[in-house]
Amino acid sequence: RGRVRLDPVEKARTIRQLQRAGGIVSRDRQKVYFVGIIDALSSYSLRWVLQGHFLKFVYSLACRRAAADGITALPPALYAERFLAFVVSEVLCAGDGGGDGGPALLPRQDRVVSRWRHL
């Protein structure tokens, strides 16, 4: 993925700017996240179902069927599972057995993270 390499002083300055703008810095200080609640306020309607099928079809035409799992239009249970996997692996940096990145995962968390790891 498109990583930008900055010297330590520039990196610290950039992180402070992004934090002031509302960003949340990951524990490993390699990523900054901006979180919104828009998806939580949306109901999963026929429109979302149709959008999901359409996007999967388009991804299939582009020979990228596996990437279709990463689209937003998911049923609520799968969306919640994908969000949990993201928070556990990317924000909390958990899953490496309590080593450098964070705490070890519970068995259910490990299954969830493993399912979405390819994204």
Side-chain angles (χ1 to χ4, degrees):
R1 299 179 192 187
R3 289 188 179 220
V4 176
R5 303 248 184 245
L6 301 172
D7 66 78
V9 173
E10 182 65 23
K11 180 179 178 180
R13 183 176 36 227
T14 301
I15 287 175
R16 281 192 307 275
Q17 289 173 338
L18 292 170
Q19 282 180 303
R20 281 194 299 271
I24 301 168
V25 180
S26 64
R27 288 181 63 193
D28 64 1
R29 303 192 60 78
Q30 299 300 310
K31 302 173 188 109
V32 178
Y33 301 102
F34 292 86
V35 179
I37 60 169
I38 300 303
D39 288 338
L41 298 176
S42 300
S43 59
Y44 188 70
S45 63
L46 179 61
R47 177 181 159 273
W48 285 109
V49 173
L50 294 175
Q51 177 188 359
H53 288 300
F54 175 76
L55 290 174
K56 287 177 185 175
F57 174 72
V58 170
Y59 274 67
S60 294
L61 289 177
C63 298
R64 297 194 60 214
R65 178 70 173 119
D69 285 340
I71 60 177
T72 301
L74 291 172
L78 287 177
Y79 189 92
E81 186 177 272
R82 183 182 68 181
F83 183 73
L84 172 65
F86 169 78
V87 169
V88 167
S89 65
E90 296 294 325
V91 179
L92 301 177
C93 299
D96 67 353
D100 296 328
L105 297 176
L106 298 173
R108 181 185 181 281
Q109 292 171 326
D110 190 42
R111 285 191 303 273
V112 168
V113 170
S114 295
R115 175 180 175 155
W116 296 101
R117 186 168 280 134
H118 67 283
L119 301 178

